[in-house]
Amino acid sequence: TAGTVPRRRPSRSDMGRGLTVLLLPLALLAAPARAQGGPAAAEEVQIEVLHLPEACSPKSKKGDLLNAHYDGFLASDGSKFYCSRTQNEGHPKWFVLGVGQVIKGLDIAMMNMCPGEKRKVTIPPSLAYGQQGYAQGKIPPNATLIFEIELYAVNKGPRSVEAFNQIDKDGDKKLSELEISQYLKEEFARDGKKRHPSAHDEILADIFKKNDHNGDGFISAKEYNVYQHDEL
């Protein structure tokens, strides 16, 4: 179960990764298919708190960057269909809460959760993979899912005011190519990973391709704040 695995304290490079998510893709348990509407859509996520730290702060909210381990089981027979500890060399998963990067039921189940908290949650099909199921994940149609979750960290999300201001060195409420280039250099130096010399320019170009919607050479506060969880 989630409680039997030694706690892994997020490192400084992990925390830096929170800002890097602004720019780079995430690898996580996303929902490839959305549940269909209907009577079942009114069903709710059931949450059982297994452990609550004495100091329960900060509590997670939409747009926060979370670091967690979770195991997934089929409610019908208790078989395990997912274990984050067997993915990515056993590192906890990073994802942004409440923006559809995980199934809807997990977005709901992990709201108002604090670092060190453990939960067991039951998610109805309407908030998971619905009538379609998810064959690749060994989840049959109309499956109720159970997750055991252990949350390690709650960080300001990659589209937060704090992150924007950290990159916006001149305070003009827009991010220039020079500012983001400098930010990338700092992030690369912080995590210490070896990269091909062309990686910096390729990532910089990709950032502007995906975020500079009006093509003016800057990423405005509006273009940056796609999650709409803070006012910029």
Side-chain angles (χ1 to χ4, degrees):
T1 64
T4 61
V5 176
R7 177 164 307 232
R8 174 183 177 274
R9 184 181 298 276
S11 65
R12 183 175 178 181
S13 64
D14 285 335
M15 297 300 187
R17 197 178 309 161
L19 289 175
T20 307
V21 175
L22 158 66
L23 317 169
L24 305 177
L26 288 168
L28 26 78
L29 180 65
R34 296 298 177 193
Q36 299 297 315
E43 296 176 339
E44 297 181 351
V45 174
Q46 298 176 24
I47 300 174
E48 178 186 356
V49 177
L50 303 178
H51 174 72
L52 189 66
E54 289 186 14
C56 187
S57 180
K59 290 192 174 183
S60 59
K61 64 183 184 303
K62 181 180 178 181
D64 282 345
L65 183 71
L66 305 188
N67 184 240
H69 264 316
Y70 43 87
D71 296 330
F73 306 85
L74 297 179
S76 59
D77 61 7
S79 62
K80 182 183 291 188
F81 64 84
Y82 184 81
C83 177
S84 63
R85 294 176 179 85
T86 63
Q87 309 288 324
N88 192 29
E89 298 182 345
H91 296 302
K93 296 292 184 181
W94 288 96
F95 62 93
V96 179
L97 183 65
V99 298
Q101 292 183 340
V102 292
I103 58 174
K104 181 66 174 178
L106 279 176
D107 269 338
I108 295 171
M110 297 185 68
M111 289 288 183
N112 297 310
M113 196 172 180
C114 59
E117 185 174 343
K118 300 175 187 178
R119 291 181 178 181
K120 180 178 180 180
V121 302
T122 302
I123 300 174
S126 59
L127 297 174
Y129 296 94
Q131 297 176 4
Q132 303 94 334
Y134 181 31
Q136 184 178 345
K138 300 180 180 180
I139 299 172
N142 299 310
T144 296
L145 307 181
I146 296 174
F147 284 92
E148 293 183 355
I149 307 165
E150 181 171 7
L151 184 61
Y152 295 102
V154 176
N155 296 329
K156 286 289 186 180
R159 302 280 180 160
S160 67
V161 172
E162 290 84 355
F164 185 93
N165 290 339
Q166 181 176 339
I167 303 171
D168 183 25
K169 301 293 188 183
D170 61 8
D172 64 355
K173 296 300 180 182
K174 57 185 179 180
L175 307 180
S176 68
E177 185 172 322
L178 180 62
E179 286 172 330
I180 294 180
S181 175
Q182 181 60 36
Y183 161 77
L184 281 176
K185 291 177 182 177
E186 292 171 357
E187 286 298 301
F188 288 174
R190 182 177 291 117
D191 69 29
K193 294 181 179 178
K194 292 183 179 180
R195 292 179 174 84
H196 190 276
S198 65
H200 175 277
D201 293 341
E202 291 173 357
I203 293 173
L204 186 62
D206 189 57
I207 290 167
F208 276 87
K209 180 180 178 180
K210 293 179 178 177
N211 294 275
D212 181 17
H213 302 303
N214 63 6
D216 66 351
F218 295 89
I219 297 175
S220 67
K222 183 176 180 180
E223 289 170 327
Y224 168 92
N225 195 26
V226 297
Y227 300 145
Q228 301 300 319
H229 62 278
D230 280 322
E231 292 297 326
L232 281 167

